[in-house]
Amino acid sequence: MGLRRPPGDRPDLAPLPLTGLLCCLLAVHALVLAVGGHYTYAEVPAGDWVRDTFGLSRNPYDRLGHLMQGFVPAVLVREVLIRTSPLRGSRWLAPLTVCACLAFSALFELFEWAAAVIGGHGADAFLATQGDVWDTQWDMFCALIGATVSVLVLSRVHDRQLARLGVSGSYAGAVSTSAARTSTARTR
């Protein structure tokens, strides 16, 4: 599994290997999606158990799915941006990564809305709204939280794995470059 190299890097256009972190997260995300697709998100037994144990009003598995919809793609977006864009080493990398995940979540919610319009009441099971009129907003909020936590918690681990693959210039490099510019400016 890998990314395609940018057009300027032509070593036979061989795919770029993905980090182990990203591969593991993609596998976990696929599992969450498969379980949700098998049972429908509102009826996943583990979610029923959590609902009953903690006295919740709804099965929270849908929220977990949307949290993962932000958490995992954040690492994917970050890896693509570091490898293929001028954002490598930029302070814009983290906010744009989160924004990309939130934009994808909003696009997904628009697809859900279209399914509801086309499917009518029959789409309720697919959408897993469980009677919550704010379900769309909660879904996007969960994706936002997932992406933000992912960037805050996993960036250093991700940077180390990218460095092992020979990709340099992640955010840690930008901080040291910024510090070097500041110290140089002070000595003038």
Side-chain angles (χ1 to χ4, degrees), residues 61-127:
Y61 195 82
D62 178 56
R63 301 281 191 248
L64 172 67
H66 285 280
L67 193 72
M68 293 294 286
Q69 188 183 48
F71 192 84
V72 176
V75 177
L76 174 63
V77 168
R78 188 175 187 277
E79 191 155 324
V80 169
L81 290 175
I82 286 173
R83 289 171 176 243
T84 63
S85 79
L87 290 172
R88 180 184 310 159
S90 168
R91 290 179 188 228
W92 284 99
L93 180 63
L96 288 177
T97 296
V98 172
C99 287
C101 294
L102 192 55
F104 177 77
S105 179
L107 179 66
F108 186 80
E109 293 302 321
L110 287 172
F111 286 139
E112 283 189 355
W113 171 74
V117 168
I118 293 166
H121 290 294
D124 287 345
F126 167 72
L127 297 177

Side-chain angles (χ1 to χ4, degrees), residues 126-151:
F126 167 72
L127 297 177
T129 60
Q130 301 178 61
D132 184 0
V133 296
W134 297 102
D135 185 67
T136 298
Q137 289 78 10
W138 275 109
D139 291 349
M140 289 189 293
F141 181 69
C142 287
L144 172 65
I145 296 300
T148 303
V149 168
S150 179
V151 167

